[in-house]
């Protein structure tokens, strides 16, 4: 299986080549949705965060950023409440804490093949970076806050 079996992923890969954007590696999954993962990193507040764009044959394209790993279990409930507050405040972004102690930020964009827009993904990445510049320090302060 390859990028060619996913029209949207192929369009995004061509966009990257056309614009000399060489910050992504690709991985093709052998799943029911012909998922192609474009992996890169985002720099914010002096930290490098893993980021990936999941482009598949469903109508959803997901930009996922790993915010932090190894969150102590005793912080989980407080952090889930904090992240839910962020989710209510920022419509476009969804934060969640997985059962392995990793906090992710997802941005989901709906596209059918005919409406897929690589420029919009590039714009959303810029907005994502701006958002993280604004909230990342507060998130990390909350992550490492001592429990009462």
């Amino acid at each position: 299986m390859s990028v060619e079996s996913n029209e949207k992923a192929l369009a995004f890969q061509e966009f990257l080549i056309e614009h000399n954007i060489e910050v992504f590696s690709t991985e093709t999954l052998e799943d029911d949705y012909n998922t192609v993962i474009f992996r890169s990193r985002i720099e914010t507040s002096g930290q490098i965060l893993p980021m990936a764009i999941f482009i598949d044959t469903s109508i959803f394209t997901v930009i996922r950023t790993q915010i932090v790993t190894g969150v102590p279990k005793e912080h989980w409930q407080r952090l889930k409440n904090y992240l839910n507050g962020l989710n209510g405040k920022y419509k476009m972004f969804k934060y969640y804490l997985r059962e392995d102690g990793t906090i992710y930020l997802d941005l989901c964009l709906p596209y059918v093949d005919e409406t897929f827009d690589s420029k919009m993904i590039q714009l959303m990445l810029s907005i994502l970076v701006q958002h993280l510049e604004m909230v990342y320090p507060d998130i990390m302060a909350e992550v490492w806050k001592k429990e009462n």
Side-chain angles (χ1 to χ4, degrees):
M1 189 139 344
S2 67
V3 172
E4 287 76 22
S5 60
N6 177 330
E7 284 185 43
K8 293 181 291 187
L10 183 59
F12 188 64
Q13 186 174 52
E14 289 171 355
F15 174 84
L16 295 174
I17 292 167
E18 181 180 316
H19 291 87
N20 295 317
I21 300 171
E22 299 176 350
V23 296
F24 289 94
S25 63
T26 58
E27 176 185 353
T28 303
L29 303 183
E30 299 203 14
D31 64 3
D32 293 340
Y33 295 101
N34 299 323
T35 303
V36 179
I37 305 171
F38 292 82
R39 295 185 192 281
S40 190
R41 295 179 299 271
I42 291 177
E43 184 175 349
T44 186
S45 301
Q47 300 298 311
I48 304 293
L49 306 179
M51 181 274 299
I53 303 170
F54 295 80
I55 302 176
D56 62 27
T57 55
S58 75
I59 75 163
F60 301 107
T61 293
V62 176
I63 301 172
R64 177 167 295 150
T65 306
Q66 181 180 294
I67 303 300
V68 64
T69 61
V71 174
K73 199 165 195 162
E74 61 270 16
H75 295 204
W76 288 9
Q77 189 55 53
R78 179 178 47 77
L79 282 169
K80 285 178 182 179
N81 292 336
Y82 177 77
L83 296 175
N84 280 339
L86 290 177
N87 290 340
K89 186 175 182 180
Y90 301 106
K91 296 176 187 179
M92 178 187 318
F93 302 106
K94 295 303 164 214
Y95 289 90
Y96 58 98
L97 173 63
R98 288 184 25 164
E99 292 302 317
D100 64 359
T102 303
I103 295 176
Y104 286 101
L105 168 58
D106 278 2
L107 193 155
C108 187
L109 305 166
Y111 292 117
V112 293
D113 289 349
E114 300 77 30
T115 64
F116 184 77
D117 186 351
S118 297
K119 288 182 202 167
M120 182 61 74
I121 290 177
Q122 185 179 36
L123 174 64
M124 290 297 108
L125 289 171
S126 297
I127 292 170
L128 172 63
V129 169
Q130 291 171 5
H131 172 75
L132 286 172
E133 286 292 331
M134 188 174 56
V135 301
Y136 182 80
D138 294 336
I139 292 171
M140 294 312 296
E142 192 68 29
V143 166
W144 301 118
K145 184 163 91 177
K146 295 216 182 286
E147 297 295 321
N148 294 333

